[in-house]
Amino acid sequence: IQEDKLGDLTRRMVVTPPRTGNKYLRVVYVTGQPGGKGKVHTHPGEEAIFTIQGQAAITIEGQRHVLSSNTVLVVPPKLEHPLEVIGDVPWIAVSSFCDDCPFMAGGK
């Protein structure tokens, strides 16, 4: 499984077109330690984030949202969404997005 860093967070690419042969969908397992901060980024389409353990605060258009266990947040397209792990336990989440979808990437 491909692993990379998104700021202080670790992402494991579980489902990606190159790895699993699907056309577009990405499913990512994300972990972060308390106080860890994710890199500010965007996606051309929506991103759904399901928190498995811990808590994180994510800011979208100046509004702070707390992601807690067993909750889902859908991040709208093209919006920056910085994230910080809060509390005293590691944050674990699963995220899904489609950065390579042709209708979002201008026919790419």
Side-chain angles (χ1 to χ4, degrees), residues 22-34:
N22 61 298
K23 289 192 176 195
Y24 310 113
L25 184 66
R26 295 179 185 271
V27 177
V28 180
Y29 181 82
V30 186
T31 58
Q33 295 301 313

Side-chain angles (χ1 to χ4, degrees), residues 73-97:
L73 178 73
V74 176
V75 178
K78 300 178 184 175
L79 296 181
E80 292 184 347
H81 47 284
L83 183 142
E84 180 177 3
V85 179
I86 57 176
D88 55 0
V89 298
W91 181 63
I92 300 171
V94 174
S95 169
S96 181
F97 51 92

Side-chain angles (χ1 to χ4, degrees), residues 40-61:
V40 177
H41 65 286
T42 65
H43 299 282
E46 294 174 323
E47 175 183 17
I49 305 168
F50 174 73
T51 297
I52 297 169
Q53 171 187 292
Q55 290 188 319
I58 188 169
T59 303
I60 303 168
E61 293 192 308

